[in-house]
Amino acid sequence: MKEAKTYTNIDNCNPTFCISGKINRCTRIIGNVFRKHLKDFNITSSQLSVLFVITKGKDVNQKKISDILYLEKSTVNRNLNRLIKSGYIYTDEYSKLKITDSGYEFLDNVIPQWNLAMDEIRDKIEKEGEDALNILLSNLTKQ
């Protein structure tokens, strides 16, 4: 009779402790809440984040958005193309991204629903959870 082979690494691994898996599950849960609240606006939370950066930033370009949001350049480019096609942003003569009047109106209409999504998430994670998220993000982005 053949002896059973043991796989020490597999035997000692517990994927329920995986930090990446936990973060991914949190992302999916939170993303579902935002999709629910933003569904009538035909915009993703990623596109909305890009729009926020452009609206609140000075001299914003694709690289700055990529750096601020930790997004791949291809993802930023895809989101920018969709926002330009929607008429919410444009590129000025210095290759800086700017929001259009239509973009300001759109954002002004979206923000109440975004706030509802934020409130729903805050109710679920409570103050301690939000504080923990802030600490986590700060620790992960330290240079």
Side-chain angles (χ1 to χ4, degrees), residues 6-140:
T6 60
Y7 298 92
T8 307
N9 290 331
I10 294 171
D11 293 341
N12 294 329
C13 177
N14 186 343
T16 61
F17 296 135
C18 178
I19 293 169
S20 178
K22 289 178 185 181
I23 294 291
N24 287 333
R25 287 189 298 278
C26 289
T27 299
R28 287 189 291 276
I29 292 165
I30 291 168
N32 286 337
V33 171
F34 276 89
R35 276 188 289 283
K36 175 179 72 175
H37 288 280
L38 299 176
K39 68 180 179 211
D40 293 337
F41 293 94
N42 195 28
I43 192 166
T44 66
S45 57
S46 184
Q47 291 166 5
L48 190 55
S49 293
V50 169
L51 197 52
F52 281 143
V53 169
I54 295 168
T55 303
K56 296 292 187 174
K58 302 284 186 234
D59 295 325
V60 177
N61 59 25
Q62 184 172 339
K63 181 176 182 350
K64 190 169 188 175
I65 292 168
S66 179
D67 291 345
I68 289 170
L69 297 177
Y70 289 86
L71 291 173
E72 295 292 326
K73 290 177 185 175
S74 61
T75 301
V76 173
N77 189 53
R78 186 173 51 253
N79 285 327
L80 290 174
N81 287 334
R82 289 178 181 153
L83 292 169
I84 289 168
K85 187 176 179 181
S86 296
Y88 300 144
I89 63 170
Y90 67 97
T91 306
D92 72 10
E93 65 272 13
Y94 305 105
S95 298
K96 302 298 180 192
L97 295 156
K98 305 290 181 187
I99 188 165
T100 64
D101 289 341
S102 175
Y104 279 114
E105 288 177 28
F106 176 79
L107 201 51
D108 198 53
N109 289 324
V110 168
I111 288 174
Q113 289 300 308
W114 177 79
N115 282 328
L116 289 174
M118 292 286 289
D119 290 343
E120 185 173 333
I121 295 300
R122 282 187 173 119
D123 284 347
K124 289 181 183 212
I125 66 172
E126 301 177 339
K127 180 170 180 357
E128 295 81 13
E130 189 168 0
D131 290 345
L133 270 175
N134 291 332
I135 291 167
L136 178 63
L137 185 58
S138 176
N139 288 345
L140 289 173

